[in-house]
Amino acid sequence: MKPSHVKAALTTLVAARKPAFIWGPPGVGKSDIVRQVAEEQNRRLVDIRAVLLDPVDLRGLPRFSDNGTTSWATPDFLPRDGEGILFLDELNAAPPMVQTACYQLVLDRKIGDYELPEGWDVVAAGNREVDRAGAMRMPSALANRFTHLEFEADLDDWCLWAARHGIRPEIIAFLRFRPECLDAFNRDEKAFPTPRSWSFASDILNAGPDDSIELPLYEGVVGKGAAVELFAFLKVFRSLPSPDAILLNPANADVPDDPATLYALASALSRKAAAPNLDALVTYADRIPAEYAVFLMKTAVARDPGLQHLGAFNRWAAAHGDILT
């Protein structure tokens, strides 16, 4: 399932009070999806890294009461009131005894003397066994307590998220040009491309690295092959004509024919999109191939949703409705 579908499914399962387990390779954004659902529902999120726990950490420590009986001192990280999502991250990477300790909490909503408050729901996540990323086989008794959602990276979903979260336009344009680089998990390498590592690359680009170390820094987050391609693409991006100059004369500005340059230019222009220059942007978008025009306009609206209510955008969308789906 692509991220937007996982998010919709998770929202449904939370409403239905059914525990969910999200499966996916490292770095695709599993925990971010859970965080988004919690934020959109104005609910608290308690993120528990199951792999860091001992069995006693969930059940609590035994203590003697005055009457000679034993009770359990419940850990303070478990919620006591309100509404929220209890997120058991990396659950299938936890030791078997920790996974066993989760049985009762997941299905019966209690463990030891603790009971999960009525307004709380349980969601878990973990890497797939085939990725060999520290995951252990989940006991069938625990697996049967969840609804399982398979998470896969999706370029359209990621680009929409990236445009809304300040990811550099160079990174978005590069991945549009080379979509196979979005998620290329390699368990034999220290660094490899994932949606998470591309956000790291964006942060590095924001920091303005020195020329002598820029390529090695990218190699350190997305791996050598993807870093070399990104570095070459950035040279194209940095040699583009001024987006401001294009918007000043959109009817006569040059239109490149190289795909990499077109993606780079569309991304740069999308960042400049605003109500005062939208007519000019549409004029230029009408002069470039449809694939790049759609990328330009969708990215512009993702950055500033208010643009879709303007007449210039509506006229363009009406004229290109056949290619927007």
Side-chain angles (χ1 to χ4, degrees):
M1 298 173 69
K2 66 180 186 178
S4 57
H5 290 168
V6 171
K7 182 179 176 183
L10 185 57
T11 300
T12 300
L13 291 170
V14 167
R17 314 305 301 275
K18 298 298 182 183
F21 197 107
I22 303 173
W23 298 87
V28 294
K30 299 183 292 292
S31 57
D32 191 62
I33 286 289
V34 180
R35 190 174 301 110
Q36 288 180 40
V37 171
E39 289 175 353
E40 290 178 6
Q41 297 186 359
N42 294 315
R43 306 180 76 183
R44 288 173 54 200
L45 177 67
V46 173
D47 187 342
I48 298 175
R49 301 289 163 143
V51 71
L52 303 177
L53 299 178
D54 288 323
V56 72
D57 292 336
L58 278 176
R59 189 178 183 92
L61 294 171
R63 62 185 175 192
F64 290 102
S65 302
D66 292 339
N67 61 5
T69 61
T70 301
S71 60
W72 299 94
T74 306
D76 62 3
F77 58 75
L78 291 175
R80 300 301 198 278
D81 52 30
E83 295 184 348
I85 294 175
L86 181 66
F87 181 38
L88 303 174
D89 202 3
E90 301 179 26
L91 177 56
N92 62 328
M97 289 297 292
V98 173
Q99 294 189 37
T100 300
C102 293
Y103 287 2
Q104 189 179 12
L105 182 59
V106 172
L107 185 62
D108 299 330
R109 302 175 57 84
K110 61 183 180 181
I111 182 170
D113 293 336
Y114 172 78
E115 185 169 349
L116 191 66
E118 183 63 25
W120 285 77
D121 296 284
V122 178
V123 176
N127 298 323
R128 306 169 302 186
E129 291 176 50
V130 295
D131 297 324
R132 297 182 185 176
M136 302 183 185
R137 183 172 180 80
M138 181 182 292
S140 56
L142 179 58
N144 190 242
R145 285 158 164 74
F146 290 103
T147 298
H148 298 271
L149 306 174
E150 295 283 344
F151 191 118
E152 295 181 0
D154 178 84
L155 183 63
D156 288 336
D157 275 10
W158 186 84
C159 287
L160 180 61
W161 173 88
R164 291 174 175 172
H165 288 80
I167 300 298
R168 291 284 294 234
E170 299 96 317
I171 301 295
I172 299 174
F174 171 71
L175 291 174
R176 277 292 180 188
F177 175 59
R178 293 282 284 127
E180 60 271 27
C181 289
L182 174 63
D183 184 32
F185 172 65
N186 186 337
R187 64 191 179 208
D188 297 320
E189 297 290 340
K190 296 184 179 69
F192 45 84
T194 68
R196 178 169 58 201
S197 62
W198 285 115
S199 71
F200 293 167
S202 176
D203 292 339
I204 290 171
L205 194 53
N206 274 333
D210 186 84
D211 292 347
S212 62
I213 62 170
E214 187 175 16
L215 178 57
L217 285 173
Y218 299 141
E219 290 178 356
V221 292
V222 298
K224 187 171 183 178
V228 170
E229 290 197 55
L230 172 65
F231 195 64
F233 184 84
L234 290 176
K235 290 182 179 180
V236 173
F237 198 97
R238 290 162 181 165
S239 65
L240 292 175
S242 166
D244 290 323
I246 290 175
L247 292 175
L248 286 173
N249 189 16
N252 299 304
D254 289 340
V255 175
D257 53 16
D258 173 61
T261 305
L262 279 165
Y263 271 121
L265 186 57
S267 185
L269 285 168
S270 72
R271 201 173 194 184
K272 291 286 186 178
N277 65 25
L278 194 59
D279 283 303
L281 193 74
V282 167
T283 297
Y284 192 75
D286 281 336
R287 298 181 57 222
I288 63 178
E291 175 184 358
Y292 309 99
V294 170
F295 169 54
L296 191 166
M297 300 305 292
K298 280 189 172 182
T299 306
V301 169
R303 292 183 185 280
D304 183 0
L307 295 177
Q308 64 188 314
H309 303 301
L310 300 179
F313 177 82
N314 289 324
R315 289 191 297 273
W316 181 87
H320 299 84
D322 58 324
I323 59 174
L324 277 175
T325 55

